[in-house]
Amino acid sequence: MARTNWAGNVVFSAADFGAPATVAELQHTVAAADRVRALGSGHSFNRIADTTGRLLSVAELPAVLDIDSAGAQVEVSGGTRYGELGRALQSAGFALHNTGSLPHISVAGASSTGTHGSGSGNGNLATIVSAVELVTADGDLVALSRDSEGERFNGMVLALGSLGVMTTLTLDLVPTFDIRQDVYEGLPAARLDQHFDEVMSSGYSVSVFTDWKPSGLHVIWRKSRVSGAAVDADPEWLGARLATVEHNPVPGMPPQNATAQLGQPGPWNERLPHFRLDFTPSSGEELQSEYLLPRHHAAAARQALQEIADLIAPVLMISEFRTVAADDLWLSPSYRTDAIAFHFTWIRDPAAVSPVLTAIEERLAPFGARPHWGKVFNTSPVSLDGLYERLPDFRALVTSLDPAGKFRNDFLDRLVMERS
């Protein structure tokens, strides 16, 4: 039976698939293989997880979820889904600083590809990883940490699966907190451009949705930390109206699949994601792309994309704008820049979407836009070389830990590693 990613647009070319039940079995399997890739929850939309060798899942490894209350950290198995981790942390009085839109994705996979949520002060999900254990090419189980590796650790977590198979990750925690979610509809594009920073900084985590249609109206999902007595949200803000019924971020999808809105306070893990863990967020009949660029270019970049809105809208389901704080991770699309992220959820028609991606990339190139590693893009290897100043350091790191290229694949060879 053919094995595909979640969206069904990638049929993996692996010779076989395995899900080891123990770390020792994983070590033996990796050591014996010529080529290996680890598969997370399958939510990447390109061939980043593909291999011609063995495709391995860590989902069947023994579950690890050890909370160090004194140190405010948790060690968690790589295949754990964020929604499950969130429930355990909330019960213990702790939280993650942020989550992605989906609680269904795995900790190792999301950290390895630079997955993020939103929030002007919130880094991507890999920024809170302080240590990892991974199985290297020779089958050894090694421990790597910020303390032991120093600056080199910045190349070891968001590493696209090129250094080994992560078995556990240690994450930094914060005390639990509550969030309320308010939705505003009908924000004009001109108002957004004039008040971009105000809008995106108006809550702990803010997303702006648009369909790029001629109306030019946008929807704001504002997630605010709750402290003290409840305060009613303003019924109108910057020309947008406060929603009085719940919505799904994807038009036409059931609102009950989305996390609670209408200003209802709730724990962080039930508000920061857009979707509920107990519901499938959509049918999977979609593609996704995302581009991150310096935040101060937000209005100019949006206006550049508006010029090709007639190309974007016909193949689009929904588009989302988010902010991501700067970090020092070598392959992070927000490396040393506070970023604005332009996200696109497309219909699942690669032939129709591809020329639109090329047009988007042409419009965003002057702003130094970096594509999300786990989504579809047409950005050339030469362009990526110019966007990531630490690529030479990363290539040296990969070569030192995996000299035979056991964890490499066509995606990595073509876009990341040395080229002739």
Side-chain angles (χ1 to χ4, degrees):
M1 180 184 298
R3 187 174 294 272
T4 71
N5 64 341
W6 171 77
N9 68 302
V10 173
V11 178
F12 294 117
S13 52
D16 61 359
F17 176 85
T22 66
V23 173
E25 182 185 350
L26 172 64
Q27 292 178 263
H28 175 78
T29 302
V30 169
D34 292 326
R35 288 272 176 155
V36 176
R37 291 291 286 172
L39 178 66
S41 56
H43 279 80
S44 290
F45 293 82
N46 56 36
R47 292 193 171 275
I48 191 170
D50 202 12
T51 181
T52 55
R54 300 207 70 181
L55 191 61
L56 297 178
S57 168
V58 296
E60 300 302 318
L61 292 180
V64 176
L65 207 163
D66 294 330
I67 299 173
D68 174 7
S69 297
Q73 292 186 322
V74 61
E75 183 182 17
V76 62
S77 43
T80 304
R81 298 189 300 171
Y82 278 97
E84 297 158 348
L85 173 60
R87 287 174 175 172
L89 294 179
Q90 171 62 18
S91 295
F94 286 100
L96 302 177
H97 81 298
N98 207 359
T99 71
S101 297
L102 295 174
H104 311 76
I105 57 179
S106 70
V107 175
S111 299
S112 296
T113 54
T115 297
H116 59 87
S118 189
S120 299
N122 299 326
N124 68 46
L125 303 186
T127 59
I128 63 167
V129 180
S130 62
V132 298
E133 284 192 346
L134 74 163
V135 176
T136 56
D138 56 8
D140 288 341
L141 181 66
V142 302
L144 306 168
S145 70
R146 287 192 204 122
D147 292 339
S148 66
E149 302 299 327
E151 207 277 329
R152 198 169 79 135
F153 191 69
N154 288 327
M156 293 180 161
V157 179
L158 203 171
L160 314 182
S162 61
L163 304 181
V165 180
M166 288 186 188
T167 57
T168 66
L169 301 87
T170 300
L171 313 179
D172 297 331
L173 303 177
V174 296
T176 186
F177 56 94
D178 284 349
I179 290 282
R180 61 177 288 169
Q181 190 164 208
D182 296 289
V183 176
Y184 283 87
E185 303 175 278
L187 177 69
R191 286 287 187 95
L192 176 61
D193 290 344
Q194 293 165 7
H195 301 276
F196 230 119
D197 277 342
E198 179 183 351
V199 170
M200 302 308 295
S201 300
S202 64
Y204 183 81
S205 172
V206 177
S207 293
V208 175
F209 291 91
T210 183
D211 56 12
W212 292 100
K213 290 181 179 177
S215 66
L217 298 179
H218 297 69
V219 178
I220 307 166
W221 284 52
R222 187 174 70 194
K223 304 169 191 274
S224 306
R225 288 190 66 151
V226 176
S227 59
V231 177
D232 291 338
D234 293 333
E236 189 170 318
W237 179 50
L238 298 177
R241 301 173 308 280
L242 182 66
T244 56
V245 297
E246 294 198 330
H247 292 265
N248 189 301
V250 182
M253 298 304 294
Q256 62 265 29
N257 290 13
T259 48
Q261 302 143 51
L262 306 180
Q264 303 173 50
W268 62 277
N269 59 306
E270 296 179 6
R271 296 295 185 274
L272 288 178
H274 290 330
F275 300 98
R276 300 174 189 254
L277 179 62
D278 298 331
F279 290 90
T280 301
S282 69
S283 64
E285 294 290 327
E286 65 188 56
L287 302 175
Q288 292 183 14
S289 301
E290 188 170 39
Y291 301 91
L292 287 80
L293 52 100
R295 180 172 164 174
H296 62 269
H297 291 314
R302 195 211 64 79
Q303 291 163 13
L305 293 176
Q306 188 67 52
E307 296 173 0
I308 57 169
D310 59 335
L311 296 178
I312 295 173
V315 292
L316 184 74
M317 297 173 67
I318 195 64
S319 186
E320 179 182 7
F321 310 157
R322 294 183 284 180
T323 51
V324 187
D327 59 65
D328 289 316
L329 306 180
W330 295 354
L331 291 192
S332 171
S334 49
Y335 178 74
R336 294 189 176 175
T337 183
D338 290 326
I340 185 77
F342 292 94
H343 185 277
F344 304 87
T345 299
W346 310 106
I347 62 172
R348 204 182 75 181
D349 187 341
V353 169
S354 184
V356 181
L357 294 181
T358 298
I360 287 173
E361 289 165 3
E362 289 173 352
R363 294 309 188 284
L364 295 183
F367 307 109
R370 296 164 172 161
H372 188 300
W373 291 108
K375 304 185 188 294
V376 292
F377 58 89
N378 292 338
T379 309
S380 71
V382 172
S383 296
L384 290 173
D385 279 349
L387 293 169
Y388 287 94
E389 62 186 81
R390 302 303 298 271
L391 263 179
D393 297 320
F394 182 74
R395 290 169 182 151
L397 178 63
V398 172
T399 301
S400 69
L401 291 181
D402 183 22
K406 179 174 288 191
F407 298 109
R408 288 164 58 172
N409 61 6
D410 179 69
F411 181 96
L412 289 167
D413 286 342
R414 181 170 52 87
L415 296 173
V416 178
M417 300 304 291
E418 296 287 356
R419 290 170 285 277
S420 57

